[in-house]
Amino acid sequence: MSTDTEHVEEGAETSFLETWRNWYHLPVLGVVMLFMIWVRTQAYDRFVTEDGTPALAGIDSWYHWRTIEWTSENYPHTMPYEIWTGFPTGNYVGQFGTLYDQLIVTVAMIVGLGDPSTETLYAVALLSIPVMAALVAIPVFYAGRRLGGTIGGLVSVLILALAKGQFLSRSTVGQLDHHVGEVLFMAIAVLAMMVALTVAEREKPIYELVVDKDWETLRTPAIYSGLAGLALALYIWVWPSAVLLVGIFGVFFVVQLCLDYLRGVSPDHVAFVGAVSLGVTAVLTTLLIENPSSTGSTSFGLLQPLTALLVAAGCVFMAWLAREWNDRDIDRRYYPVAVGGLIAAAFLVMWVAIPSLFDAIVGNAMRRMVPFGEATTDLTIQEAQPPENFFNNAFQEFGSAFYTMLAGLAFLAIRPLFGRKFRAEHTLVLVWSVFLLSMAATQIRFSYYLLLAVAVVNAAFIAELVRLFDLDLTGSLESLRQIETYQVIVVILVVLLLFAPLLPPIATATAWDSAESTGPNYDATVWEESNHWLAENTPEPGNYGGADNASELDYYGSYNPGDGDYEYPGGAYGVMSWWDYGHFITTQAERIPHSNPFQQNAHSSSAFLTAESEERAELILDAIATGESVSEQSNDELRTIIEGNETDEEIRYVMIDDQMAGGKFGAITRWTGPDYQHYVTPEDYEAGEPISRDEVAERYSDVPYDDTTLSSLYFGDAAEMEHYRLVHENDVRTSSYVSYAIVDPQTNQVLLGEDGQPQVGINRQVDQQLQAQLQQIQQYTEYDVEIFDQRQAPAVKTYERVEGATITGSVDDLELNDTDNATVEASVELETNTDRTFTYTQRADVNDDGTFELTVPYATNDELGVDDGYTNSSVEATGEYDVNVVTPDEQGLSTAQYTGQTDVPESAVVDGETIDDIEFEEAEGNETDGNETDDGDADEPESDGSNDESADNETDGAAALAAVAAEPAH
């Protein structure tokens, strides 16, 4: 009886161990996924606000929230065309409003029982990103297991879970962006293709089976190939630019079909997978087309199905060519050469016959997949910039696992040299990994894709080590008894090699540390006040100027532009700002920005912001309203555009922030030119010309930057501008700016750079980085930092564009000492919503006949408001306009000889009416230098009443820097 019992116990133990060996990976995988979710949700409370308003990380997250809300209102449809951005044309949303958004809303519909509240929708949206990130572990595990067994698959998911780079930063709570969806569905598509290729190599589908209609034999490879095509189509549905994976698969099929033919293996098997899978993708992506005229990669157009169809047809053609090659008994070695030549010829024909398709395919490949193909304007996008040092960046992201991945690729590539089986999926992983390496070297954000290759290929690395050191990792008792000491050492060393750089104490920032420190986008929190003000104090789009067409612009409506752009109704208007802030304006203010982070209209926004006169700025805005391109036209060309395209659509508001006036100005200039150096260099300066310390302030007191629309509005409060008035300012942070020169104290001259330009910084925004840089120059070099100008301004300023009231009159009846040089100045004191006061002044020369006229944008009353179709301005006049007739005296000083006052009604400002009832009285003899009456001059430092320092003051560099450091932080 005891023997029987012992037998039963041994059988139970054997059964348990067998079950454990077969299924232990599932609980381990589950624990890893839970860990990934926990890491990414640590900061959840930071994104849940008391008033229920969204608080999201990143910029694109805000637009995904817009599309998620829209999809919830119009379920199951996703948004095809957006009229609440890209004024005055609207825009196809492309990679927004896709399967990614629909999946989030579907989950919310289930949780909310078909009618989710905004709170439920928001909670699901926040949590969906960490959950999607954790789901990536499933295809990564199974792809890794195909290369390196169960242990290899688990190593893959551990690397995925501990990586702390781009994938982690883009998959934490609050990052409501499609990047994590891209990674998940790419992993699924690649895994599905690996499986389909293996099935085809086993089942061996050939052309004769298709001719004989032997569907029984073809069924299994056809199903798996179709599923691979479906997975690829789903990936494209998540991100239209996923057409790049179609290109990667295309390169793989060319390489694999050539390898098979050279090895004497029928290429039919792999060609069958390519033809079926990419054929399915072509059909499914045809159903997704929203913009039939588009060949761009960011929207659902012709590019996706055409590219998939080309690859499918190419697979069929290569299989046919191989048969023809055999029939003609041509040397197999020339087959790849012929294929390469035919592909080059096909692209040449495409370049000649269908240049738009050629540009779409080659252009997108160069921009996203080749490290030297980026456009200049791409470099203005932080995430699209290449890493400064690719290998250092890779080590920071993946640790030693990056280098073991390279070793794993080498192990895969040399398998045939040792007589080991080399499957098509090995070629696929090699080609795919090489492209991901190239993409990560091209744009820093694509490191989140490279993580897939790093994780999966390390499974192959582990498999080779297991084979090399004869490690038995099956987990049986017998294998544990037979393990050798050196094998234990190898396992420990491998674990340390792969994971120590990602864990403390070696890793200075772990995955959970990085995820815990995430928070809402700072710019979004800064702009929130200004955007909410815009929503409450401006008429709804469609109602401006008393129109009543807001009902035609439903925020959750569905719109079809037809063959052209959307035609907005009367009373619609746009908001001008830099493209970075377009999504904030759409979602927080429910107003229509001209440019947006799709980079739509970035050229025209740049042209407006860098325009060096109000005349050109006005021409640009008027031409924008016609829907025509405006960035490179002369003023005369812009007038021609405007005269031939009358429209009621206008850009009515301009929003500018401290970042645009400071660090982002260089990026703004890249879109239209001239380059940044033009704007911060005196017009009369010649390269190499020496400038002394004493004259730098005078030489740089008037540079082209000061004349730009951006500077005139942000720093100058629209001084002497006729059609722009400040209506709100946001001082959630007060930004400080300095202009400085690097001076050689031995020569007392400004240091020159290698390009011959003086080392001068103009209006550099003061932050910790700038302070540290200037302090280092002071402390660790022989040079001085000469600070010659300081300014302060609030975070965001909002301007309204108005017709302006024209003040007219005559000085014929006045006794002037110098009629020929007489000018008229109109000034009014204004108080902002932040209790800051400034004086707006407008000047005009007196005409030969004694008449004058000048246009002013500020009213002295607030008789009109939102109900009338206008603005509830938060900037109000404290009194009437003072109108002075000024002439030079014998010493050349400007003297006010006559003075008068006038009211300027709000109706006159918005309708462009004339004010002509000024009665002048002889002034009491006030003398000025001609500048003191203009507190808002763009060349003078703006004062908040507490820090008014002259730009001409000479200060010691270190003392000035200390004063700057003591100013309010951002």
Side-chain angles (χ1 to χ4, degrees):
M1 185 169 180
S2 60
T3 304
D4 292 340
T5 304
E6 183 177 351
H7 287 168
V8 170
E9 289 175 351
E10 284 183 1
E13 181 180 2
T14 302
S15 176
F16 173 78
L17 289 176
E18 186 69 28
T19 302
W20 172 252
R21 283 196 300 270
N22 291 336
W23 300 103
Y24 76 95
H25 61 279
L26 293 181
V28 174
L29 183 59
V31 169
V32 171
M33 293 174 65
L34 289 175
F35 169 78
M36 292 177 69
I37 294 174
W38 169 75
V39 164
R40 287 160 172 79
T41 55
Q42 293 177 89
Y44 180 85
D45 289 345
R46 295 178 189 168
F47 296 92
V48 180
T49 60
E50 293 182 2
D51 60 1
T53 58
L56 299 168
I59 292 177
D60 288 346
S61 299
W62 286 88
Y63 197 75
H64 272 296
W65 175 241
R66 156 75 171 144
T67 55
I68 286 169
E69 282 193 301
W70 191 97
T71 302
S72 176
E73 292 288 330
N74 296 272
Y75 191 80
H77 304 288
T78 53
M79 182 189 296
Y81 194 84
E82 170 69 292
I83 66 167
W84 283 81
T85 196
F87 186 88
T89 61
N91 193 31
Y92 283 97
V93 296
Q95 57 198 23
F96 297 84
T98 65
L99 177 63
Y100 166 84
D101 305 272
Q102 199 169 49
L103 288 173
I104 293 173
V105 176
T106 298
V107 173
M109 284 287 178
I110 295 172
V111 174
L113 301 178
D115 186 21
S117 64
T118 301
E119 292 75 14
T120 298
L121 191 65
Y122 184 56
V124 170
L126 287 179
L127 294 173
S128 63
I129 308 305
V131 171
M132 283 189 188
L135 290 174
V136 175
I138 297 174
V140 163
F141 168 77
Y142 284 102
R145 189 162 79 162
R146 296 185 67 81
L147 300 180
T150 301
I151 293 297
L154 291 177
V155 167
S156 294
V157 296
L158 286 173
I159 292 172
L160 180 76
L162 296 176
K164 59 183 186 295
Q166 290 287 321
F167 178 67
L168 174 67
S169 66
R170 295 170 185 276
S171 59
T172 55
V173 65
Q175 285 284 359
L176 193 58
D177 208 342
H178 52 258
H179 300 308
V180 66
E182 296 173 37
V183 177
L184 174 61
F185 281 88
M186 173 184 266
I188 293 171
V190 171
L191 173 63
M193 188 62 74
M194 292 172 69
V195 174
L197 290 168
T198 302
V199 169
E201 287 181 321
R202 183 183 70 235
E203 301 293 334
K204 294 184 171 41
I206 57 175
Y207 174 69
E208 285 74 14
L209 293 175
V210 177
V211 173
D212 294 340
K213 299 181 180 180
D214 189 353
W215 307 128
E216 187 66 29
T217 305
L218 295 173
R219 180 182 295 113
T220 300
I223 289 174
Y224 280 97
S225 298
L227 290 174
L230 172 62
L232 179 55
L234 291 176
Y235 175 35
I236 292 172
W237 193 2
V238 167
W239 186 49
S241 295
V243 67
L244 62 85
L245 187 57
V246 176
I248 294 173
F249 284 168
V251 173
F252 155 72
F253 282 116
V254 169
V255 172
Q256 186 61 40
L257 291 172
C258 288
L259 286 176
D260 283 347
Y261 187 69
L262 290 174
R263 293 186 303 161
V265 176
S266 171
D268 284 11
H269 318 324
V270 172
F272 179 87
V273 176
V276 173
S277 62
L278 274 299
V280 168
T281 301
V283 172
L284 294 179
T285 53
T286 299
L287 301 177
L288 296 176
I289 291 177
E290 292 175 344
N291 185 6
S293 61
S294 172
T295 55
S297 66
T298 58
S299 61
F300 295 118
L302 294 174
L303 179 63
Q304 292 84 4
L306 283 178
T307 306
L309 187 62
L310 286 173
V311 175
C315 290
V316 174
F317 174 79
M318 286 186 66
W320 169 83
L321 183 64
R323 289 173 176 266
E324 293 295 316
W325 215 261
N326 283 337
D327 292 344
R328 288 166 173 74
D329 198 23
I330 305 175
D331 192 328
R332 289 176 180 266
R333 291 174 297 179
Y334 297 122
Y335 177 78
V337 177
V339 170
L342 289 170
I343 292 175
F347 274 101
L348 180 61
V349 171
M350 187 188 303
W351 177 59
V352 174
I354 319 175
S356 60
L357 182 60
F358 177 86
D359 290 342
I361 294 175
V362 176
N364 280 288
M366 294 292 287
R367 287 181 58 191
R368 290 187 167 90
M369 304 172 76
V370 182
F372 46 80
E374 65 274 356
T376 302
T377 51
D378 286 343
L379 300 180
T380 66
I381 310 172
Q382 186 175 7
E383 67 178 21
Q385 296 177 359
E388 291 185 7
N389 186 312
F390 172 66
F391 287 97
N392 284 349
N393 184 72
F395 184 79
Q396 291 174 2
E397 294 235 355
F398 315 119
S400 303
F402 172 73
Y403 294 100
T404 54
M405 181 268 289
L406 298 179
L409 289 175
F411 286 145
L412 283 177
I414 64 175
R415 285 173 68 94
L417 300 180
F418 297 94
R420 299 174 60 197
K421 188 172 183 180
F422 187 82
R423 302 190 300 274
E425 65 178 344
H426 294 148
T427 308
L428 174 62
V429 170
L430 283 167
V431 171
W432 173 60
S433 299
V434 168
F435 272 103
L436 295 190
L437 283 165
S438 180
M439 289 168 61
T442 303
Q443 295 188 15
I444 191 171
R445 65 175 176 144
F446 286 143
S447 290
Y448 58 69
Y449 277 142
L450 182 56
L451 177 59
L452 291 177
V454 170
V456 170
V457 176
N458 263 290
F461 173 76
I462 292 297
E464 292 300 326
L465 288 184
V466 168
R467 178 177 175 276
L468 181 63
F469 292 98
D470 194 25
L471 296 171
D472 186 353
L473 301 178
T474 60
S476 65
L477 290 176
E478 187 63 26
S479 67
L480 293 176
R481 294 190 187 102
Q482 294 180 356
I483 194 168
E484 300 287 342
T485 303
Y486 80 92
Q487 293 174 321
V488 175
I489 294 173
V490 168
V491 171
I492 293 173
L493 289 176
V494 170
V495 171
L496 290 175
L497 179 66
L498 288 175
F499 303 118
L502 302 175
L503 297 167
I506 296 178
T508 56
T510 60
W512 46 92
D513 290 334
S514 300
E516 194 276 334
S517 63
T518 189
N521 180 273
Y522 185 55
D523 282 341
T525 60
V526 170
W527 275 68
E528 185 175 21
E529 177 190 326
S530 295
N531 283 325
H532 287 177
W533 179 92
L534 197 69
E536 296 166 2
N537 294 277
T538 62
E540 293 182 60
N543 285 353
Y544 192 91
D548 189 20
N549 297 317
S551 59
E552 297 182 32
L553 301 175
D554 182 1
Y555 190 65
Y556 295 108
S558 181
Y559 303 91
N560 186 349
D563 295 332
D565 299 321
Y566 181 77
E567 301 234 351
Y568 289 83
Y573 60 87
V575 179
M576 170 62 73
S577 188
W578 188 229
W579 63 260
D580 289 16
Y581 308 104
H583 293 340
F584 300 160
I585 295 170
T586 297
T587 55
Q588 292 179 336
E590 294 190 13
R591 295 299 181 262
I592 310 174
H594 172 61
S595 58
N596 49 51
F598 305 148
Q599 293 192 309
Q600 181 188 12
N601 298 325
H603 283 94
S604 49
S605 292
S606 171
F608 170 79
L609 295 169
T610 59
E612 294 181 41
S613 69
E614 184 179 14
E615 177 190 19
R616 178 162 179 80
E618 281 291 279
L619 288 171
I620 287 171
L621 291 192
D622 286 338
I624 283 174
T626 69
E628 298 291 327
S629 174
V630 303
S631 58
E632 299 177 358
Q633 279 73 17
S634 67
N635 286 1
D636 288 339
E637 289 171 329
L638 291 174
R639 290 188 186 94
T640 301
I641 291 173
I642 296 165
E643 290 170 0
N645 297 274
E646 295 295 333
T647 178
D648 293 331
E649 299 166 354
E650 299 284 353
I651 302 287
R652 287 294 181 185
Y653 298 93
V654 180
M655 302 182 76
I656 294 177
D657 80 336
D658 49 0
Q659 304 294 316
M660 295 162 62
K664 291 184 178 181
F665 184 73
I668 292 172
T669 65
R670 286 192 185 184
W671 287 84
T672 51
D675 62 14
Y676 175 76
Q677 200 64 41
H678 160 80
Y679 293 95
V680 296
T681 305
E683 293 183 353
D684 60 350
Y685 181 79
E686 296 183 5
E689 177 186 348
I691 297 180
S692 69
R693 183 198 300 261
D694 295 335
E695 65 179 349
V696 65
E698 180 182 355
R699 291 293 301 273
Y700 281 86
S701 63
D702 184 17
V703 292
Y705 173 84
D706 297 318
D707 298 324
T708 62
T709 307
L710 189 153
S711 177
S712 298
L713 295 179
Y714 186 72
F715 289 117
D717 288 325
E720 296 193 34
M721 300 182 80
E722 297 180 341
H723 303 291
Y724 297 88
R725 63 174 181 180
L726 181 68
V727 291
H728 181 263
E729 63 182 16
N730 171 356
D731 65 347
V732 67
R733 65 182 178 211
T734 300
S735 295
S736 302
Y737 301 82
V738 295
S739 294
Y740 62 87
I742 310 300
V743 178
D744 186 342
Q746 309 234 342
T747 64
N748 222 28
Q749 290 184 340
V750 177
L751 191 68
L752 299 180
E754 295 181 358
D755 57 357
Q757 295 293 331
Q759 298 299 287
V760 176
I762 300 296
N763 291 326
R764 294 291 177 85
Q765 195 167 9
V766 179
D767 55 18
Q768 291 181 349
Q769 181 179 7
L770 178 65
Q771 292 181 50
Q773 289 173 347
L774 298 186
Q775 286 173 344
Q776 287 176 356
I777 292 172
Q778 288 280 133
Q779 295 174 4
Y780 302 111
T781 72
E782 66 274 22
Y783 304 118
D784 291 340
V785 176
E786 180 77 11
I787 294 179
F788 58 86
D789 188 18
Q790 298 184 50
R791 299 182 179 188
Q792 283 188 319
V796 185
K797 289 186 172 185
T798 303
Y799 284 85
E800 182 182 14
R801 183 182 178 219
V802 294
E803 291 294 322
T806 300
I807 300 175
T808 66
S810 174
V811 300
D812 275 352
D813 297 334
L814 307 180
E815 296 180 4
L816 302 178
N817 59 12
D818 188 353
T819 306
D820 291 340
N821 295 309
T823 61
V824 177
E825 297 178 351
S827 301
V828 63
E829 185 182 66
L830 300 152
E831 184 175 5
T832 72
N833 55 289
T834 62
D835 297 327
R836 180 176 69 92
T837 59
F838 67 97
T839 300
Y840 168 83
T841 300
Q842 183 61 279
R843 297 181 177 89
D845 293 331
V846 175
N847 299 321
D848 293 339
D849 61 359
T851 62
F852 67 86
E853 66 175 38
L854 46 81
T855 303
V856 296
Y858 289 97
T860 54
N861 62 36
D862 54 359
E863 61 184 0
L864 299 178
V866 172
D867 292 340
D868 306 296
Y870 297 102
T871 307
N872 286 332
S873 177
S874 294
V875 177
E876 298 183 351
T878 61
E880 298 178 319
Y881 274 86
D882 291 322
V883 184
N884 299 321
V885 180
V886 179
T887 62
D889 62 13
E890 295 178 356
Q891 288 76 37
L893 297 176
S894 297
T895 303
Q897 294 195 39
Y898 291 88
T899 184
Q901 289 187 325
T902 185
D903 282 324
V904 176
E906 177 79 1
S907 57
V909 167
V910 298
D911 294 331
E913 296 174 357
T914 299
I915 309 295
D916 57 2
D917 56 353
I918 303 175
E919 294 185 5
F920 289 105
E921 297 179 355
E922 189 170 355
E924 296 182 0
N926 293 329
E927 293 186 358
T928 70
D929 63 2
N931 290 324
E932 292 178 3
T933 59
D934 183 11
D935 294 343
D937 195 301
D939 295 336
E940 294 293 321
E942 183 176 351
S943 172
D944 64 358
S946 62
N947 184 18
D948 188 9
E949 298 187 39
S950 170
D952 295 329
N953 285 346
E954 292 186 13
T955 61
D956 176 79
L961 190 62
V964 169
E967 292 178 356
H970 289 198

